């Protein structure tokens, strides 16, 4: 109550800010509607603040945007394709295929209601990523038909800042605009070919090392179900095998989504169509069915990467592999593509009557040795050398009420990593989950990625327990607790430490209304201010979101509170509202929010509707107001235009950010423009 009164007093001193916030709240209060991409709001229920800060989740978001534009045919989609969806688990996929086996192709997605394991929320999400086509594809691909009926799409996006950063005049090699172009040709779920070119603000265009224009290109081709070849990819692609202990750079899995699909991590390959310049392979990969139930997956990759180099005796060595993809300054440009990586691997898996077993081998080599700065305690056990080999075995069993999966891996230096996940469904309304993971502090796997508290599959021993209960069709309750212990120093912890993460969430959803209430309590140990010992930090986050739609209108709002108890306590909160109007070819969305936090430790997060493929979870700290306006217009059957204007006005500072990113104003405004042509 005290904080609320302070906010009102503070706003009365700023009539313009008070007017804008009040107008937005009143607009949202009297309007209802249909959002531009409703699945985004549903997906936020699977995302925690840790996921929002992850580059992998941004890539997952881009992939889901792409899938929305080119949905899977549920009648012909393979098990591997369906399991890539972060909200589907193995039992649900098996139930879909069992239904198709007994009743034939679905004529409408309404038939999903006949599958007991697929709840109301999951059905709503599936509506955006799958379609029903009764015609079965020929086993032999008809190239003439593909060329005749394949569809193309070209999209151009530009981000225009209405401010100047310090680096725009002193340090950056290029101009301040970010832009990208995408082209994709696709024939159903069988074939797709594409090109993505992207440029970050400050990077040179057709200059310096970017002689071919864009700073980053992704070129890819992907084919499915061609005879015994289940998947074939070339160019830039991603791969996942087992549960990710050896190879797992497909898409992110957070702690909430892990409750349903960690044990069902898909083995397979998919094209890399993201603007991200990291976390992909380059070459060829294929999955071939040898006999019924037995699949062989092989891949080979060679690519250049960014790295910071140091002098190791007489030769250059890799101090750090850089994955941010920025090449704005002379220093950043000097480390562009200055090392090369070669990776080859294979996976042999067999599945029959609910049982599955597989073996994976991956070998990675660099042209220069990895030589991290081990004088920093948290880097003491980082990978060292030029050659890295990992071997693993994965195994599991699935039936209508039990889903067990596990993987155990060993690295070339003899260290072990293991993870096991168990899902029990005693009734259709209740799912219980237990996940055990142990990653030796000396385990080295260059491309590993799985559920973990840290950013590396290394130095962690943990237990995760979760439950999901759906007492009625429209109500879902979720809870988890995750305790992790780190035997060796880690980033910001100079000695052995631990974390304990807990979450409670309640969701209510109907065709018109959705509400989510979430409480998260996280305890962790980290260095004290003098770096002489560990101190305990407790972070409590509360979030409530609601939205309602009726016809062409929508209203929505959210409330966030954060309390960080540390050596210096911190409190933050945010109130945000949004409204959307949709009429035939036009959709308009307006949002506004007020935030007040003591410092960055109590940052708040807010979802915003940007243009397609643009990551829309933003963090705020300090005191200020943010507001945005977005619009999308369909011009005829093949052309569409979208625009997104975002403004942030800070009350507690006269400049934003530091270094070359510094903006010498208390506010910033950004405009995104996007044009899409389908033919």
């Amino acid at each position: 109550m005290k904080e609320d009164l302070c906010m009102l007093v503070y706003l009365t001193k700023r009539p313009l800010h008070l007017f804008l916030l009040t107008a937005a709240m009143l607009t949202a209060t009297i309007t209802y509607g249909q959002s531009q991409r409703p699945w985004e709001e549903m997906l936020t229920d699977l995302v925690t603040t840790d996921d929002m800060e992850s580059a992998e989740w941004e890539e997952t978001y881009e992939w889901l945007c792409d899938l929305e534009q080119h949905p899977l045919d549920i009648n012909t989609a393979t098990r591997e394709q369906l399991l890539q969806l972060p909200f589907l688990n193995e039992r649900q996929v098996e139930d879909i295929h069992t239904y198709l086996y007994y009743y034939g192709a679905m004529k409408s997605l309404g038939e999903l209601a006949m599958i007991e394991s697929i709840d109301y929320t999951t059905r709503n999400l599936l509506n955006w990523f799958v379609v029903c086509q009764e015609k079965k594809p020929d086993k032999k691909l008809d190239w003439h038909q593909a060329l005749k009926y394949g569809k193309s799409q070209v999209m151009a996006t530009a981000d225009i800042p209405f401010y100047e950063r310090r680096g725009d005049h002193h340090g950056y090699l290029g101009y301040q605009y970010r832009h990208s172009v995408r082209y994709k040709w696709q024939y159903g779920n069988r074939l797709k070919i594409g090109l993505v070119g992207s440029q970050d603000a400050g990077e040179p265009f057709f200059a310096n090392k970017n002689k071919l224009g864009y700073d980053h290109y992704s070129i890819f081709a992907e084919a499915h179900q061609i005879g015994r070849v289940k998947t074939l990819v070339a160019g830039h692609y991603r791969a996942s095998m087992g549960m990710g202990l050896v190879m797992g750079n497909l898409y992110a899995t957070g702690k909430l989504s892990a409750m349903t699909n960690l044990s069902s991590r898909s083995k397979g390959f998919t094209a890399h169509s993201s603007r991200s310049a990291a976390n992909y392979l380059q070459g060829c990969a294929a999955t071939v069915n040898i006999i019924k139930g037995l699949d062989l997956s092989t891949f080979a990759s060679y690519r250049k990467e960014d790295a910071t180099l140091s002098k190791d005796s007489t030769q250059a060595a890799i101090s750090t592999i850089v994955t941010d993809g920025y090449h704005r300054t002379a220093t950043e440009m000097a480390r562009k593509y200055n090392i090369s990586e070669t990776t080859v691997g294979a996976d042999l898996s067999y599945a029959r009557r609910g049982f599955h077993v597989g073996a994976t081998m991956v070998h990675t080599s660099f042209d220069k040795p990895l030589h991290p700065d081990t004088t920093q305690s948290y880097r003491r056990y980082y990978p060292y050398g030029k050659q890295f080999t990992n071997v693993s075995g994965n195994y599991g069993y699935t039936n209508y009420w039990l889903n067990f999966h596990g993987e155990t891996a060993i690295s070339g230096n003899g260290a072990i990593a293991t993870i096991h996940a168990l899902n029990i469904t005693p009734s259709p309304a209740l799912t219980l989950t237990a996940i055990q993971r142990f990653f030796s502090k000396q385990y080295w796997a260059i491309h590993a990625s799985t559920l973990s508290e840290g950013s590396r599959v290394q130095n962690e021993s943990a237990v995760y327990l979760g439950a999901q209960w759906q007492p009625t069709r429209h109500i879902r309750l979720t809870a988890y607790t995750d305790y992790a212990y780190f035997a060796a120093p880690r980033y910001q912890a100079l000695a052995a430490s631990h974390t304990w993460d807990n979450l409670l969430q309640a969701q209510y959803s109907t065709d018109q209304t959705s509400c989510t209430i979430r409480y998260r309590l996280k305890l962790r140990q980290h260095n004290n201010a003098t770096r002489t010992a560990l101190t305990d930090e407790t972070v409590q986050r509360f979030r409530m979101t609601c939205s309602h739609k009726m016809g062409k209108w929508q209203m929505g709002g959210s409330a966030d509170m954060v309390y960080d108890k540390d050596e210096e306590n911190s409190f933050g909160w945010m109130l945000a509202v949004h409204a959307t109007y949709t009429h035939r070819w036009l959709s308009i969305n307006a949002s506004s929010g007020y935030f007040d936090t003591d410092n960055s430790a109590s940052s708040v997060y807010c979802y915003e509707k940007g243009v397609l493929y643009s990551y829309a979870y933003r963090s705020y700290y300090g005191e200020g107001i943010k507001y945005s306006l977005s619009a999308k217009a369909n011009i005829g059957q093949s052309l569409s235009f979208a625009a997104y204007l975002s403004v942030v006005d800070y009350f507690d500072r006269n400049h934003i950010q530091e270094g070359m990113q510094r903006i010498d104003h208390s506010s910033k405004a950004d405009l995104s423009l996007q044009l899409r042509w389908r033919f």
Side-chain angles (χ1 to χ4, degrees):
M1 178 64 70
K2 180 180 178 181
E3 288 77 11
D4 292 340
L5 292 173
C6 290
M7 181 194 74
L8 292 174
V9 171
Y10 197 88
L11 282 174
T12 55
K13 299 178 182 179
R14 294 170 169 78
L16 177 60
H17 301 144
L18 179 60
F19 170 77
L20 290 172
L21 184 60
T22 304
M25 287 182 172
L26 289 174
T27 301
T29 301
I30 63 174
T31 59
Y32 305 85
Q34 178 183 354
S35 61
Q36 184 176 338
R37 292 191 296 278
W39 62 264
E40 293 184 5
E41 296 183 30
M42 300 180 197
L43 199 65
T44 58
D45 295 336
L46 295 175
V47 182
T48 64
T49 54
D50 295 339
D51 301 324
M52 293 177 190
E53 296 172 340
S54 167
E56 288 185 0
W57 189 262
E58 182 172 354
E59 293 157 13
T60 302
Y61 168 79
E62 287 195 29
W63 175 76
L64 289 172
C65 285
D66 187 68
L67 186 61
E68 182 201 11
Q69 303 305 306
H70 307 92
L72 297 170
D73 178 7
I74 196 170
N75 292 320
T76 60
T78 65
R79 172 182 175 275
E80 290 77 15
Q81 288 175 313
L82 290 174
L83 282 176
Q84 289 176 12
L85 293 168
F87 50 83
L88 277 185
N89 60 41
E90 185 159 314
R91 181 192 171 190
Q92 291 170 325
V93 172
E94 291 297 329
D95 287 350
I96 290 172
H97 284 168
T98 300
Y99 181 91
L100 295 173
Y101 176 80
Y102 283 106
Y103 301 104
M106 293 185 188
K107 293 179 173 56
S108 77
L109 293 179
E111 293 184 51
L112 289 170
M114 304 296 291
I115 302 176
E116 190 176 38
S117 62
I118 299 181
D119 58 80
Y120 177 83
T121 302
T122 303
R123 289 200 303 273
N124 280 346
L125 284 168
L126 279 173
N127 283 330
W128 297 94
F129 303 113
V130 300
V131 293
C132 290
Q133 296 177 0
E134 294 185 49
K135 184 180 177 182
K136 293 185 178 180
D138 298 327
K139 291 186 177 180
K140 184 177 180 180
L141 183 64
D142 188 330
W143 293 96
H144 176 74
Q145 292 279 44
L147 293 173
K148 183 178 180 180
Y149 295 106
K151 297 181 179 180
S152 293
Q153 175 178 285
V154 178
M155 178 183 292
T157 305
D159 296 333
I160 304 169
F162 293 100
Y163 50 84
E164 291 184 339
R165 301 179 179 91
R166 182 166 293 181
D168 295 333
H169 297 287
H170 308 285
Y172 287 162
L173 302 174
Y175 45 73
Q176 65 265 43
Y177 308 109
R178 183 190 187 197
H179 53 93
S180 64
V181 63
R182 296 172 181 265
Y183 169 77
K184 178 181 283 189
W185 175 87
Q186 186 154 351
Y187 175 62
N189 300 137
R190 305 290 295 279
L191 293 172
K192 66 178 176 181
I193 299 171
L195 167 70
V196 178
S198 63
Q199 191 87 7
D200 286 311
E203 294 177 337
F205 190 58
F206 281 109
N208 209 289
K209 288 187 179 181
N210 297 338
K211 301 297 184 183
L212 297 178
Y214 281 105
D215 181 72
H216 169 70
Y217 286 99
S218 179
I219 304 172
F220 57 86
E222 182 177 331
H224 294 278
Q225 297 170 277
I226 304 176
R228 288 190 175 273
V229 179
K230 299 178 73 172
T231 303
L232 176 66
V233 295
H236 292 191
Y237 64 94
R238 292 172 176 270
S240 182
M241 297 176 177
M243 296 181 71
L245 294 185
V246 170
M247 172 60 67
N249 73 345
L250 201 54
Y251 296 107
T253 299
K255 289 183 181 179
L256 272 172
S257 58
M259 191 174 301
T260 56
N261 81 340
L262 177 69
S263 60
S264 310
R265 283 183 68 96
S266 171
K267 297 180 183 181
F269 307 105
T270 187
H272 174 74
S273 57
S274 168
R275 291 176 296 186
S276 171
N279 199 30
Y280 66 86
L281 301 172
Q282 180 175 273
C284 296
T287 298
V288 180
N289 177 246
I290 300 174
I291 60 174
K292 185 176 181 180
L294 183 64
D295 292 339
L296 174 64
S297 299
T298 61
F299 68 93
S301 168
Y302 174 83
R303 59 166 296 202
K304 295 284 190 177
E305 295 182 86
D306 297 359
T308 302
L309 302 181
S310 61
K311 204 71 173 179
D312 182 10
S313 64
T314 59
Q315 64 175 334
I318 303 169
S319 175
T320 305
I321 297 176
V322 181
T323 60
D324 58 22
Y326 289 130
H327 306 113
R328 302 162 299 184
T329 65
T331 300
E332 291 174 347
M333 187 61 74
R335 65 193 185 202
K336 181 177 182 179
Y337 299 159
N338 57 3
I339 66 169
S340 62
E341 176 197 316
T342 301
T343 303
V344 296
D347 176 88
L348 186 66
S349 61
Y350 179 76
R352 186 75 170 174
R353 295 179 180 177
F355 291 94
H356 83 266
V357 62
T360 305
M361 187 281 294
V362 173
H363 177 77
T364 300
S365 63
F366 296 95
D367 64 333
K368 300 177 180 66
L370 282 174
H371 189 184
D373 181 8
T374 54
T375 59
Q376 296 176 295
S377 59
Y378 71 92
R379 293 174 177 258
R380 186 176 305 160
Y381 297 102
Y382 276 20
Y384 189 100
K386 293 179 67 174
Q387 309 286 333
F388 303 92
T389 301
N390 297 84
V391 178
S392 76
N394 60 83
Y395 33 84
Y397 174 72
T398 301
N399 63 22
Y400 69 95
W401 67 275
L402 182 145
N403 188 356
F404 169 74
H405 285 241
E407 183 177 20
T408 299
I410 184 169
S411 55
N413 61 353
I416 292 176
T418 183
I419 185 169
H420 296 89
L422 175 67
N423 286 93
I424 299 175
T425 309
S427 73
L430 179 63
T431 300
L432 304 175
T433 302
I435 302 171
Q436 167 274 332
R437 57 191 190 270
F438 169 76
F439 314 140
S440 168
K441 63 185 179 183
Q442 295 175 313
Y443 181 72
W444 295 345
I446 303 300
H447 293 287
S449 177
T450 191
L451 178 70
S452 63
E453 178 60 35
S455 59
R456 310 174 69 88
V457 180
Q458 187 181 42
N459 182 33
E460 185 172 330
S461 181
V463 175
Y464 172 105
L465 299 174
Q468 193 171 89
W469 181 40
Q470 190 156 359
T472 71
R473 177 187 177 191
H474 301 293
I475 297 175
R476 176 188 289 182
L477 305 176
T478 305
Y480 75 69
T481 182
D482 183 57
Y483 178 84
Y485 174 75
F486 314 98
R490 62 195 296 254
Y491 182 63
Q492 294 185 337
L494 52 80
S497 61
H498 66 264
T499 64
W500 188 24
D501 188 10
N502 305 270
L503 181 140
L504 293 171
Q505 179 170 286
Q507 298 167 261
Y508 173 80
S509 59
T510 67
D511 290 337
Q512 289 76 34
T513 304
S514 66
C515 293
T516 300
I517 299 176
R518 175 186 295 177
Y519 172 74
R520 189 181 185 192
L521 171 65
K522 187 170 184 178
L523 299 87
R524 75 181 185 105
Q525 293 181 305
H526 64 89
N527 296 334
N528 61 12
T530 59
R531 296 180 57 85
T532 56
L534 296 180
T535 185
D536 295 327
E537 178 185 19
T538 302
V539 181
Q540 299 181 74
R541 290 185 177 271
F542 172 82
R543 178 172 177 79
M544 181 175 67
T545 63
C546 290
S547 65
H548 182 75
K549 62 182 180 180
M550 184 180 296
K552 300 177 182 180
W553 296 91
Q554 172 184 340
M555 64 163 285
S558 64
D560 290 84
M561 287 189 293
V562 185
Y563 179 64
D564 185 296
K565 184 179 180 181
D566 203 352
E567 292 180 295
E568 181 179 340
N569 296 341
S570 174
F571 178 76
W573 61 279
M574 181 177 192
L575 289 176
V577 292
H578 67 83
T580 304
Y581 172 80
T582 304
H583 178 67
R584 294 168 58 188
W585 55 273
L586 178 65
S587 176
I588 300 175
N589 175 269
S591 69
S592 182
Y594 176 87
F595 56 92
D596 186 3
T597 80
D598 293 335
N599 51 47
S600 60
S602 52
S603 294
V604 290
Y605 294 80
C606 187
Y607 159 77
E608 297 177 5
K609 301 181 192 302
V611 297
L612 194 61
Y613 296 103
S614 293
Y615 193 56
Y617 300 105
R618 310 186 191 281
S619 64
Y620 301 93
Y621 74 92
E623 185 181 9
I625 185 172
K626 66 95 184 173
Y627 30 94
S628 65
L629 180 67
S630 63
K632 177 187 175 184
N634 295 319
I635 307 170
Q637 296 293 321
S638 59
L639 198 64
S640 63
F641 175 78
Y644 169 65
L645 176 65
S646 173
V647 181
V648 184
D649 189 2
Y650 291 95
F651 304 156
D652 61 342
R653 66 196 73 174
N654 55 20
H655 72 272
I656 305 171
Q657 297 182 296
E658 297 295 340
M660 281 189 287
Q661 287 287 95
R662 175 167 171 151
I663 303 167
D664 290 321
H665 298 284
S666 62
S667 64
K668 54 179 294 207
D670 294 270
L671 175 66
S672 296
L673 301 174
Q674 187 175 85
L675 185 66
R676 182 174 56 163
W677 178 35
R678 290 168 289 186
F679 57 95

